């Protein structure tokens, strides 16, 4: 249905092309779950060295598993617990080079070594988090954090249904 020309010549180009693809996928869709599902699939397909890419949604005061690509995952995460819960509590991106050194890390997949979690905030309200895991230590850097933050800003208004 869609064919995207993703240029991985540089990280900046990669995230620019991912934003264009994400915009094309979600611009006319009002269903938040469909938009999260397509974003997770897009990231899974084009970001190398991931073992999990997806969402946790804020539901009833806790993070609840949303659309994702990868192995089965933890279903519920309390706010403030683990990397995802910390991102949700602080509303700050969590860039973790070694998850085993992160206090209170929740190991859904023992193969995960590094993690990037970006809170999704729209009009001042937390909607959930974007969570990326990798089996490689220090897989994510500031370029990934900035690129994913831009993707989250693009998708956030399309997750309120």
């Amino acid at each position: 249905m869609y064919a995207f020309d993703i240029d991985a010549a540089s990280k900046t180009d990669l995230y620019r092309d991912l934003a264009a693809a994400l915009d094309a996928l979600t611009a006319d869709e009002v269903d938040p779950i469909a938009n999260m599902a397509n974003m997770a699939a897009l990231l899974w397909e084009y970001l190398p060295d991931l073992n999990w890419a997806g969402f946790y949604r804020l539901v009833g005061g806790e993070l609840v598993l949303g659309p994702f690509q990868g192995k089965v995952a933890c279903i519920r995460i309390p706010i403030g617990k683990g990397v995802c819960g910390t991102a949700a509590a602080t509303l700050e991106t969590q860039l973790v080079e070694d998850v085993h050194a992160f206090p209170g890390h929740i190991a859904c997949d023992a193969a995960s070594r590094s993690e990037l979690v970006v809170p999704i905030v729209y009009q001042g309200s937390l909607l959930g988090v974007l969570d990326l895991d990798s089996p490689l230590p220090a897989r994510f850097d500031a370029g990934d954090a900035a690129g994913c933050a831009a993707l989250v800003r693009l998708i956030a208004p399309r997750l309120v249904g």
Side-chain angles (χ1 to χ4, degrees):
M1 180 173 186
Y2 293 96
F4 298 109
D5 184 20
I6 304 291
D7 179 11
S10 76
K11 199 166 276 194
T12 302
D13 292 340
L14 171 65
Y15 282 104
R16 181 203 63 229
D17 290 352
L18 285 171
L22 181 63
D23 188 42
L25 283 168
T26 62
D28 297 324
E29 181 53 59
V30 298
D31 186 87
I33 300 298
N35 287 333
M36 284 185 273
N38 263 337
M39 182 171 168
L42 184 70
L43 295 175
W44 181 257
E45 184 173 353
Y46 289 106
L47 291 182
D49 302 316
L50 298 182
N51 62 334
W52 205 88
F55 294 89
Y56 280 92
R57 303 168 299 118
L58 183 64
V59 178
E62 65 184 339
L63 296 174
V64 179
L65 182 64
F68 70 93
Q69 299 284 315
K71 292 182 179 182
V72 298
C74 303
I75 296 173
R76 295 179 183 274
I77 298 175
I79 301 298
K81 301 293 182 186
V83 181
C84 289
T86 298
T90 63
L91 301 181
E92 295 176 357
T93 295
Q94 300 295 305
L95 178 59
V96 181
E97 292 184 355
D98 179 3
V99 295
H100 301 298
F102 190 91
H105 173 252
I106 301 168
C108 295
D109 180 354
S112 291
R113 295 291 310 277
S114 59
E115 191 167 2
L116 173 62
V117 180
V118 181
I120 305 166
V121 178
Y122 181 66
Q123 296 183 342
S125 295
L126 178 69
L127 302 178
V129 299
L130 169 67
D131 182 18
L132 302 177
D133 291 5
S134 174
L136 302 179
R139 156 59 184 89
F140 306 105
D141 62 18
D144 294 298
C148 286
L151 294 174
V152 162
R153 283 190 301 276
L154 185 143
I155 195 101
R158 300 170 187 182
L159 300 181
V160 292

